Each structure stands twice: as C-alpha cells, then as structure tokens.
Amino acid sequence: MKKMIYKISTVLLSVLLLVGVVAYKESAPLYADINLNVAVQNNSDDLTFNVKGNIDNSGWYYYFKEITLNYADNSTKTLQLTINAAQNTVNTGINWAAINSETSFISADMNSGSVEFNCKISKGDLGNVTSITVDGKTIELNSTGDSGDNNPVTPQAPEKTPDTEGKITIDGTVKDWINVPAINVENDTDISSMKMAMDTDGNLYVEFEGTAPSEWYGNYQWKQFVIKSGDQTKTMQIANIENKAFFNKAQGNSAAPYYVEFMIPASQLSEPFSVELGGLTVNSIDLPILNGVDATPAEDNTYKGITIDGTFEDWNGVKKTPSICPSEAHPDCLSETAMVFDGDMVYIYIKEGAWRGAYQAGMKSNGRWEITTDLGRHIVFQFNETNTEVSGLPGISAKHVGAEWEIAIPADQLPLYKNTINLGLYGVDADSPAPFITGVANLNGSKGPAGEESPIVIDGSYGDWTNYPSGYYEYAGDGTQVDIIDSLTSITTDGKTMYQYVETEYVRHLGGISGIELTKAIHIRLNNNDNYIIEPRIIDIDDQGNIGWNPTLEGLSPGTYRFGITDTSSWTDNITNIPELEAVGGKFYGYMYLTIGADGKNKCEFSFDLEKAAEHVGIKADDITMVESNFGRLGNQWVATTGASSGPVLGIVLCLLTVAAVYYFNNKKKKTI
C-alpha cells in the first residue's frame, strides 16, 4: 500500500473540504461515483476536519470540491483541492494565501481508492471569516458543535407562502409543470419555452424546452445559468448542475422536442436574487411558489378524436398493437401500430423501433404499407426515403416527430369493404406478414358500401363481381408500383362451374402488349395437386360453335372480345367445331369475355366446367374439394375457392354463388388473405 504523507499549510487544511464531487473524464460521464464524507468539529478556537471514503481510481478522473470562506465584509474567497486518481496525487490550488500556515496531515491509499484526510485549522489563522460553505452547507464560526453525521447544519430560510399548486420532480417528463406559467423567450432560438418556480423551502426549479434536430443534439446542456445576489455572481453550465434531467425525443434525424429541468437548492441562493438564462433575466420575487402538491394530470385514455398535429396524446384512447418488422435485417425498425376509422378519415399511428424506421420497413425495405378490406381490396401508401413524408394517396397527411408517426387518409380513398379494414406492410408473397391490425370498423357503426353478392353471368359486363371477395396476382412479389395492385381477381363456384374475374392495370412488364396477360399461361388446379393441373387454351368460337384455333390474343385494340376455352391437349387442326371436339374426347369448358380498356385497365371473366375438369384429370367430380387458378403472366400465385373438408364441391351448392372462402397461394406455400 502506498501512503502519501503531505505536510501542508493551513490553506491546504481548509482546502480539504473541497474533496471530490465533480469529476472530469474525456469521453466519460461528467460526474464520477465517489463516496467521501466530511465531518466537521467546530471548536471554540479551531476547526477539525476528518475527510474519508472511496473514490474511483480506474481512470483519468479529477475530483475537486470548492470551499467558500465567507468574510464579515460580505466578500468571499474560494479554495480548491484536486485529486488525480490515476496519478496517485493530491494537489492544492487556488488562493493559497487566504489563510495562514499551520501543520496538518493528509494520507491516501490511491491504489485501493481509499482516502482519508485529517486536519485542524486555527480560527485565528482564518482571519475575519464568519462562516464556511461546502456542498451548499454553511457553518457559522461563532458557534460550537459537532456535525456528527457529516452533514453540517445549514441555516433554514423562512418558509415561503405558496400561490401555485404543484410539486416538481426532476425526471425530464415535465408534465408536473402544468400549473407554472411559461416565460416568453425571444433572444435564444434554441429555447421555445421556459418555466421557473420555487418551493416553500426556497429551492429554485427551472424548465426549458425546444426542438432537437436529431437524437445527437445536446447544445442545451452547455448553456450558461447565472445567479446574481447583491454584488455576488455565480455562473455555471447546466451540465455541471447536480440535480438535472435531459430528455431528447428526437430519433435519428427526425426532429422532436427536448426537455431540460434542474433544481438549485436554497442553500446556494441568497434572496432576493435574479437568474439569467437564454438571454432572459428573471427576479426571484416574480416567481410562483409551489405548494408541494403534485398537480400532474392523470392520463386520459378516453378517445376524443385524432388531430394530426404531432403531439400524439390523443392516441392514448386507441389500442396499440406490438408490431415487428418481418425483415431479418431490421426487425426492430418498428415498435407498435394503431388505427381508428371515424367514418370521415382513417387515422394511423406508427411508433418506430430503435433502428431505421417506417420508411424502410418490409421484406424489401421499401416502406410500403397497405390498408386491406374484408373484401380483399387494397390501397398502398409509402414513406419517402427522407422519412419525413407519406405519399401514394390523394389527400393523405402525416406528421413525424421523433419515433412517432400519425397519418390521416380520407375515407373516400378506401377500396370497397363490407364491414372492416386492416393495416399492414405491403406484400403478397408467401413469406409476407399478416396485417398488424385487423377488423377495424367504422366508429359510427355504419357498414361499408359493399352489398350482397349477385348471381354471376359471363357476358362481359363485370358489374356482378363488385361485392365478391378478392385475391390478387403480383408480378414482383410485393408489387412494382406504389399505388396500383398489379392485378385483382375474384373466384367462386356454384358446385358445377367455376367462375373467375381478373383485372389488371399493369402491363408494362409485358412490353405494353395488351391481351396476352389474360389469355395465356393460365392454369387450373384441382385439390391443390400438381398432378391435376389443366392448361386452358383460348380459342375463337362463333354462335354456331365453329372453332378458330389461333385467335389474335395480343396487341388487341380497346374493346370487348368473346372467346371459348378448351385445353392444350384437345387441340387439332382437323376439328372445326365443338361437337367434333367432344366426339373425340376433347373438352370445351366455357366462355371468356376479355375487355381491353382505353383507360389502361384490362379485364376478363370466364366460366370453367368442373365436371369436365374432373374427367380430364381422371377423378370423380364429387372428389373435388378445391379449385385454384393461376395467371402466369401476372404472377406465380394461386387463388382458389374451396368446398368443405367433409364433402365435395359438387355436393355443396353454395346458395346463389355464395363464396365459401377465398384463399391465396404461392406456388409452393399457401397463405390466407
């Protein structure tokens, strides 16, 4: 054990009171953890000090404490003791001539961090000093006594009369400041609002706030706080104030409010005083006095409507759903979501996680989200790359503050629904996640605009498909456009015939050729069995049943066309009509109507005879339990209608084409819409 014995002057002895609270360390917390106690014996002729405890000697920490000598003429002098734990040294510094010399000793074991100081100072050597102040505690020298538990007694200021309800806790939340009036700040652009108050014990509380441009912003902690009383001035950086709290709500480069609050104990104040902060001077006599009763308002979880203003308190009444991004690269880019529909607007809340954010959520990290309906319809919106805006829908508005988003979408942008809507990430491949939020209904109780299903007639008018549930085919997995689903489809059966409707606005991946996306690469599969796949062949057919085997199917002009449906194994140039085809075992399954839209939207509807399909693959019609369809030019997904597991499709005639269920399938893996 190393022992350092120093013979020092009385100056050094009084400096012993300075022992370490404030610590400096590069790239480290401003304050180090120390445990030093000062016991003071105030005798009639001298002061005896015993200082001992432990300090952190693991690095380049500097501990120093100031002791103030208060003189009868109201002047003061300051002494300082500095301990460099890393170098095992104790140094004295400021104003050595403030007191006269006398012998005392300091001993320290710097290897273990144990420190003990013992000294005695003659009051005569202190000069005309009336009191000493350390750690905000003042000891009057015209009295005697033992501080005992190392807590010198501080004279108490007269209790103040409260005029404001409140009790401040220094924790960075600032809601307990609700009854304290704000002070207008004009000369500091970093501060948008400031509040100050005192309690009945004379402690001073200060709160100010502003906007942090990023999560790395911290200029507020280096602001100067000045206290003036009489001819005495004390200046400190907020970072060096002991009882303080900072709260920066910014995340990444998403700006958000910051909050700073701190407390100056009454022992460091002498009234009347004034304080200066942010170019503003405030007098103590003008400050509200808090009565010590907590006025923090209780959280109101009653839903009262949503306003897109970036404050988010109005979301307290809406249930939040934990939401994890499905991407393994950034699963924590999301935290939770919420959605509410009041009839006029759909409101969406998204809280981002610790990494990235909503603009990079999803399997492809493209920030595309969707609202789906109970009929399988979609709308898609996207967060831009700067993570500041949302686009893709007319009338959409959004606010992004820190890690939180709130978005409003006009109800007239919703696709067709019967009762409810859902929220999730945009994606249609087999690994896409289920919606985060499902089954959100209109708060006013109104149903959606969709009515009941109509009987299907294959005639090229398409209006009877409006109220049927839909699935979709996508050429690029999670879509290649922001606001347009590649294709939409509905499929149903009456037990004997399958009916299907397909529409698409996306033909750019086909080179702009219209027609082939809905007439080629079609597959019908029975019972989810690849051995039971039929490849339809689209043919020309007139009213007399005459067949044209090679109709024009691409580059079609706008208009509606009628075709017949057989299969690729039934083709032969020797067959010219339907009776001849069926006489040799070929199959005619039904009719297709194809419309090439002048507006860029192409549609088709067709019927497909299930009895003939069963015969084609070699099973009984009664054994069909599932019928699936794939349009390979639009995507690799399968969309299906199913019967019940306890019986065949043909044995369950769903009343007037009521859909049993609509399912979505990948070519390897199925997923329910």
Side-chain angles (χ1 to χ4, degrees), residues 147 179 254 295 324 474 608:
S147 65
N179 290 332
S254 175
I324 299 174
E474 286 282 76
F608 201 82

Side-chain angles (χ1 to χ4, degrees), residues 10 18-19 47 65 318 346 369 376 466 483 572 630:
T10 309
L18 309 174
V19 177
L47 297 174
K65 182 175 287 187
V318 182
V346 176
W369 294 64
T466 299
D483 57 354
T572 173
N630 163 256

Side-chain angles (χ1 to χ4, degrees), residues 645-660:
S645 59
S646 60
V649 168
L650 297 184
I652 303 176
V653 179
L654 306 174
C655 297
L656 201 58
L657 303 179
T658 300
V659 178

Side-chain angles (χ1 to χ4, degrees), residues 50-309:
N50 176 262
V51 183
K52 58 182 172 181
N54 295 292
I55 62 174
D56 181 356
N57 65 342
S58 61
W60 289 91
Y61 283 83
Y62 291 86
Y63 304 89
F64 65 88
K65 182 175 287 187
E66 294 180 346
I67 178 173
T68 301
L69 304 178
N70 304 307
Y71 288 82
D73 61 358
N74 292 324
S75 64
T76 61
K77 293 183 179 180
T78 302
L79 303 172
Q80 177 172 287
L81 173 71
T82 302
I83 302 173
N84 185 332
Q87 295 183 350
N88 294 341
T89 60
V90 180
N91 304 309
T92 57
I94 305 172
N95 295 338
W96 283 32
I99 53 178
N100 298 321
S101 61
E102 183 170 318
T103 300
S104 293
F105 296 95
I106 302 173
S107 65
D109 176 8
M110 290 302 186
N111 290 329
S112 67
S114 175
V115 179
E116 182 172 356
F117 306 87
N118 300 282
C119 64
K120 180 185 292 185
I121 304 174
S122 170
K123 289 184 177 179
D125 291 334
L126 292 175
N128 193 23
V129 175
T130 59
S131 64
I132 60 174
T133 302
V134 62
D135 276 347
K137 309 289 186 179
T138 299
I139 302 173
E140 301 292 337
L141 300 189
N142 58 2
S143 60
T144 60
D146 191 348
S147 65
D149 61 355
N150 297 330
N151 292 309
V153 176
T154 301
Q156 298 296 312
E159 186 170 293
K160 295 177 174 293
T161 302
D163 54 26
T164 303
E165 185 174 62
K167 179 182 180 181
I168 304 301
T169 301
I170 305 300
D171 56 10
T173 61
V174 308
K175 288 186 177 181
D176 44 7
W177 286 87
I178 186 169
N179 290 332
V180 179
I183 304 171
N184 186 32
V185 180
E186 297 180 348
N187 298 322
D188 191 328
T189 56
D190 288 338
I191 300 177
S192 61
S193 177
M194 183 188 301
K195 295 183 178 182
M196 296 186 189
M198 299 182 73
D199 61 20
T200 55
D201 293 328
N203 300 309
L204 171 65
Y205 298 86
V206 180
E207 184 269 339
F208 66 91
E209 57 196 71
T211 299
S214 74
E215 66 177 281
W216 303 283
Y217 178 81
N219 291 357
Y220 43 76
Q221 64 183 314
W222 308 120
K223 291 186 178 297
Q224 300 290 328
F225 185 69
V226 180
I227 304 173
K228 292 183 177 181
S229 180
D231 59 355
Q232 302 297 308
T233 299
K234 185 173 185 178
T235 302
M236 61 191 80
Q237 281 186 329
I238 293 173
N240 295 334
I241 296 174
E242 183 173 356
N243 194 356
K244 63 184 181 300
F246 307 139
F247 183 32
N248 182 350
K249 295 185 68 176
Q251 176 154 304
N253 289 315
S254 175
Y258 73 79
Y259 302 96
V260 175
E261 58 179 352
F262 57 89
M263 188 271 282
I264 305 296
S267 59
Q268 297 182 23
L269 301 169
S270 178
E271 294 195 59
F273 63 87
S274 66
V275 296
E276 296 176 5
L277 176 62
L280 194 68
T281 299
V282 180
N283 295 313
S284 61
I285 59 173
D286 297 325
L287 296 177
I289 309 300
L290 303 175
N291 64 1
V293 178
D294 188 1
T296 304
E299 188 172 279
D300 186 359
N301 293 324
T302 303
Y303 178 73
K304 299 177 181 178
I306 302 296
T307 302
I308 305 300
D309 56 8

